[in-house]
């Protein structure tokens, strides 16, 4: 009985949020799942990159510096879904086809697939608060009390905020604070079960939402509306 009780205590410690054992198990899960998904979807990712290239995106992979756990700076990867100076001029017909593809990528979340490499590199987790750009981080840490507590967790491809309606643009400071509150709530009670729930809900999002709100700042931006972007006067990205 005493031995069994010790075993139960060991399991309980492993399941505590932010415990060393929990972190090891979470990292192992991230590596296994990211590896399996990358191997399974490698043909899909190659086809997406090739399609973007044919539609005028000379650099199908978008990169940007983000703030990770303990304020570590890393480079995030995603499929490029907005035309910029790196894209070559194309006809209106190709532009329309490109817009259709990039919209589908954002709705489905497939544009975030390259972040699985960030997971394998140890810079991100499958589940956690979304990482912010350097400018957003500087602004939010100055204006939002408790914001820097988000840095105690490794950023994720998806998170508690995203499955609770905070995927896409934020229109005002109150909504931004609500999103941050969801991130902090996740950090305070993260567990394997909660991570599993978030991953399952994320996989179901494309079937629940046929359209994603118009997000002209989806790339290189926090998910802020143009009005809030102008008001905050900051670099953009929050997806």
């Amino acid at each position: 009985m005493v031995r069994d009780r010790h075993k139960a205590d060991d399991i309980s410690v492993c399941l505590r949020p932010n415990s060393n054992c929990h972190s090891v198990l979470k990292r192992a899960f991230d590596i296994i799942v990211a590896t399996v998904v990358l191997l399974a979807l490698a043909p899909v990712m190659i086809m997406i990159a090739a399609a973007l290239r044919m539609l005028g995106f000379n650099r199908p992979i978008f990169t940007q510096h983000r703030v990770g756990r303990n304020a570590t700076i890393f480079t995030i990867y995603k499929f490029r879904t907005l035309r910029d100076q790196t894209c070559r001029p194309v006809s209106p017909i190709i532009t329309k086809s490109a817009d259709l593809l990039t919209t589908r990528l954002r709705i489905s979340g497939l544009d975030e697939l390259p972040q699985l490499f960030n997971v394998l590199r140890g810079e991100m987790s499958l589940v956690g608060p979304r990482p912010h750009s350097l400018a957003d981080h500087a602004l939010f840490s100055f204006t939002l009390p408790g914001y820097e507590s988000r840095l105690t967790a490794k950023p994720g491809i998806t998170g508690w905020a995203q499955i609770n309606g905070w995927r896409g643009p934020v229109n005002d400071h109150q909504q931004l604070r609500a999103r941050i509150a969801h991130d902090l709530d996740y950090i305070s009670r993260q567990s394997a079960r909660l991570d599993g729930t978030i991953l399952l809900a994320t996989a179901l999002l494309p079937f629940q939402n046929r359209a994603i709100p118009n997000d002209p700042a989806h790339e290189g931006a926090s998910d802020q509306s143009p009005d809030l972007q102008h008001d905050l006067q900051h670099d953009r990205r929050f997806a």
Side-chain angles (χ1 to χ4, degrees):
M1 290 291 289
V2 174
R3 186 176 301 173
D4 291 340
R5 185 167 51 222
H6 286 322
K7 289 182 178 180
D9 290 343
D10 290 342
I11 294 174
S12 176
V13 170
C14 280
L15 295 179
R16 291 175 187 170
N18 301 316
S19 70
N20 289 334
C21 186
H22 176 266
S23 297
V24 170
L25 292 176
K26 184 179 176 71
R27 178 61 183 151
F29 179 79
D30 283 343
I31 292 174
I32 293 171
V33 173
T35 300
V36 170
V37 174
L38 276 173
L39 290 175
L41 296 184
V44 175
M45 295 176 67
I46 292 173
M47 287 190 292
I48 291 174
L52 289 172
R53 178 82 179 181
M54 288 188 297
L55 293 171
F57 293 82
N58 291 331
R59 299 178 184 175
I61 301 298
F62 170 83
T63 63
Q64 187 185 49
H65 287 144
R66 297 291 178 86
V67 181
R69 187 176 186 179
N70 298 324
T72 301
I73 308 302
F74 70 98
T75 300
I76 199 171
Y77 307 107
K78 71 183 294 292
F79 284 118
R80 191 178 298 277
T81 57
L82 287 181
R83 306 193 70 85
D84 60 12
Q85 68 275 10
T86 68
C87 299
R88 63 182 182 273
V90 293
S91 68
I93 294 178
I94 294 180
T95 298
K96 184 176 181 179
S97 297
D99 290 344
L100 179 62
L101 173 62
T102 55
T103 298
R104 293 295 184 185
L105 291 177
R106 289 194 295 268
I107 292 175
S108 64
L110 291 176
D111 60 328
E112 311 289 356
L113 282 178
Q115 287 163 41
L116 290 169
F117 289 106
N118 290 115
V119 173
L120 291 181
R121 287 160 57 103
E123 298 158 337
M124 295 180 65
S125 177
L126 295 173
V127 180
R130 287 295 297 167
H132 295 162
S133 68
L134 305 187
D136 281 344
H137 170 75
L139 178 68
F140 297 158
S141 61
F142 180 75
T143 58
L144 296 174
Y147 167 79
E148 291 192 349
S149 296
R150 299 173 79 257
L151 302 183
T152 60
K154 193 176 291 187
I157 296 178
T158 187
W160 185 236
Q162 281 63 49
I163 69 166
N164 279 283
W166 300 112
R167 178 174 179 257
V170 172
N171 297 313
D172 55 44
H173 293 275
Q174 183 176 356
Q175 291 182 5
L176 178 59
R177 286 193 293 268
R179 178 175 287 190
I180 299 301
H182 277 79
D183 290 337
L184 298 179
D185 181 47
Y186 166 77
I187 292 173
S188 69
R189 59 190 188 91
Q190 59 182 302
S191 67
R193 176 178 294 181
L194 182 57
D195 282 3
T197 299
I198 292 172
L199 288 173
L200 177 60
T202 299
L204 296 176
L205 279 177
F207 304 100
Q208 298 171 348
N209 303 298
R210 291 299 180 183
I212 192 170
N214 183 30
D215 187 4
H218 185 77
E219 240 168 47
S222 291
D223 286 348
Q224 315 298 335
S225 70
D227 289 342
L228 185 57
Q229 291 165 23
H230 180 271
D231 180 38
L232 296 179
Q233 295 181 349
H234 69 308
D235 188 334
R236 306 172 302 174
R237 169 71 182 171
F238 204 138

